[in-house]
Amino acid sequence: MSIDQTFAHTIVSVSKDKNGEIVAYKLENGEVISKEQAVIMAKQSSIKGVSVAISKLGEEFLKSLPDGDINNNLENLPVIESENIE
């Protein structure tokens, strides 16, 4: 059974900490969400083009779904300033 993602959000940019780790995401509607919020939304199929993976440290994070376009990788998205994060 496939899930209709007609109304799902798209990530347009990311915010990184001083170590280069993604800590937040900006959606196409301008909303900035934390990594934790993004994981919850991805599990609900509310964000297009990503899945939830688990790091070696046991932390959940978003991973781009492979689509053949290397530019769609989350690491390659524009970086937003961290002061925009609530």
Side-chain angles (χ1 to χ4, degrees), residues 10-14 49 64-78:
T10 303
I11 296 172
V12 296
S13 58
V14 297
S64 300
L65 293 176
D67 65 358
D69 185 355
I70 194 161
N71 293 323
N72 285 346
N73 188 313
L74 294 173
E75 290 291 330
N76 295 335
L77 290 175

Side-chain angles (χ1 to χ4, degrees), residues 13-79:
S13 58
V14 297
S15 179
K16 297 182 179 184
D17 65 14
K18 62 183 178 184
N19 298 320
E21 296 290 322
I22 295 174
V23 294
Y25 303 88
K26 184 174 183 181
L27 304 176
E28 86 292 338
N29 65 359
E31 182 180 5
V32 178
I33 59 172
S34 69
K35 183 164 105 175
E36 294 79 14
Q37 289 172 304
V39 165
I40 292 167
M41 290 176 70
K43 286 179 177 180
Q44 298 170 341
S45 299
S46 297
I47 301 177
K48 295 178 189 177
V50 297
S51 64
V52 177
I54 300 177
S55 74
K56 293 177 184 175
L57 299 174
E59 296 176 329
E60 292 181 310
F61 68 97
L62 296 188
K63 182 177 179 181
S64 300
L65 293 176
D67 65 358
D69 185 355
I70 194 161
N71 293 323
N72 285 346
N73 188 313
L74 294 173
E75 290 291 330
N76 295 335
L77 290 175
V79 177

Side-chain angles (χ1 to χ4, degrees), residues 1-6 45:
M1 180 174 138
S2 71
I3 297 172
D4 180 8
Q5 289 194 320
T6 304
S45 299

